[in-house]
C-alpha cells in the first residue's frame, strides 16, 4: 500500500544495539526489510511541523496537495501542518501516547536531547482548535473508505 516512505535519517538504530535483541521470533533480517516500499529521507535535522518539507515530498512524488492524504497522531505537528499545506488530513487517534504514563518512560529513555523533549512537550499543548478532517480510531484501515471502492477492493 505504501509506495514511498519518508523519514528522518537520524531514525536509524542506535550504535551498539543489535537488531536481533529488538526482535522476537526466529525471523532473519530479510523478514523486517521493506519489500515494495522505497525508503527516502528528509534532510537531517528536519522537524515537524514543516510545510516546506511536506511540499517538497509532494513535488518529488508529482502529487498535487489535493491528491494526497497525511495521516498523523499529533494535532499540532501533523494535522495543522497538513491543513496548512492544503493536504487532506487524517488524525491517527489510535496512536496518541503523549498523555499516557508510558510516554514519560519513552521521554526518559529516548535519544532525544532535553531540548527535543521540551519542544515535544510544547507542541503537545493545545493551541486553539485544530479539527481533523478524518479521525482514525482503530487503525490505518479506517481511512480506506475515504478513497472509494477501488482502494477497498485492493485491501
Amino acid at each position: 500500500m505504501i509506495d514511498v516512505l519518508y523519514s528522518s535519517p537520524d531514525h536509524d538504530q542506535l550504535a551498539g544495539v543489535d537488531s536481533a535483541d529488538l526482535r522476537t521470533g526466529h525471523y532473519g533480517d530479510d523478514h523486517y526489510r521493506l519489500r515494495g516500499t522505497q525508503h527516502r529521507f528528509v534532510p537531517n535535522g528536519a522537524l515537524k511541523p514543516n510545510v516546506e518539507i511536506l511540499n517538497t515530498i509532494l513535488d518529488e512524488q508529482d502529487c498535487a496537495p489535493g491528491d494526497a492524504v497525511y495521516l498523523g497522531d499529533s494535532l499540532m505537528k501533523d494535522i495543522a501542518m497538513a491543513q496548512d499545506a492544503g493536504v487532506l488530513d487524517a488524525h491517527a487517534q489510535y496512536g496518541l501516547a503523549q498523555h499516557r504514563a508510558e510516554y514519560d518512560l519513552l521521554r526518559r529513555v529516548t535519544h532525544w536531547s532535553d531540548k527535543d523533549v521540551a519542544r515535544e512537550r510544547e507542541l503537545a499543548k493545545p493551541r486553539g482548535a485544530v479539527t481533523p478532517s478524518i479521525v482514525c480510531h482503530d487503525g490505518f484501515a479506517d481511512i480506506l473508505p475515504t478513497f472509494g471502492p477501488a482502494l477497498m477492493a485492493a485491501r
Side-chain angles (χ1 to χ4, degrees), residues 14-106:
L14 294 174
V17 176
D18 183 1
S19 60
D21 294 337
L22 301 174
R23 299 178 177 150
T24 60
H26 57 279
Y27 302 111
D29 284 344
D30 286 346
H31 178 78
Y32 296 95
R33 291 194 192 348
L34 296 172
R35 291 193 176 90
T37 302
Q38 186 179 96
H39 193 183
R40 294 189 181 171
F41 297 104
V42 298
N44 203 5
L47 299 172
K48 296 183 297 182
N50 189 324
V51 173
E52 290 175 20
I53 295 290
L54 181 52
N55 286 329
T56 298
I57 291 169
L58 292 169
D59 287 344
E60 286 181 9
Q61 295 304 309
D62 196 25
C63 182
D67 293 333
V69 74
Y70 191 102
L71 177 67
D73 64 358
S74 169
L75 290 172
M76 303 313 297
K77 291 193 305 185
D78 299 316
I79 302 307
M81 177 182 65
Q83 291 174 353
D84 288 346
V87 170
L88 176 63
D89 59 279
H91 184 220
Q93 191 175 48
Y94 60 88
L96 288 177
Q98 293 89 342
H99 303 292
R100 293 187 205 151
E102 296 90 344
Y103 199 69
D104 286 333
L105 173 61
L106 176 63

Side-chain angles (χ1 to χ4, degrees), residues 10 13 30 39 45-47 60 70 72 74 76 87 95 106 110 115 117 123 125 135-136 138 141 149 151:
D10 65 359
Q13 194 167 296
D30 286 346
H39 193 183
L47 299 172
E60 286 181 9
Y70 191 102
S74 169
M76 303 313 297
V87 170
L106 176 63
T110 185
K115 182 180 173 183
V117 171
L123 284 170
K125 292 179 183 175
V135 177
C136 296
D138 297 316
L151 189 55

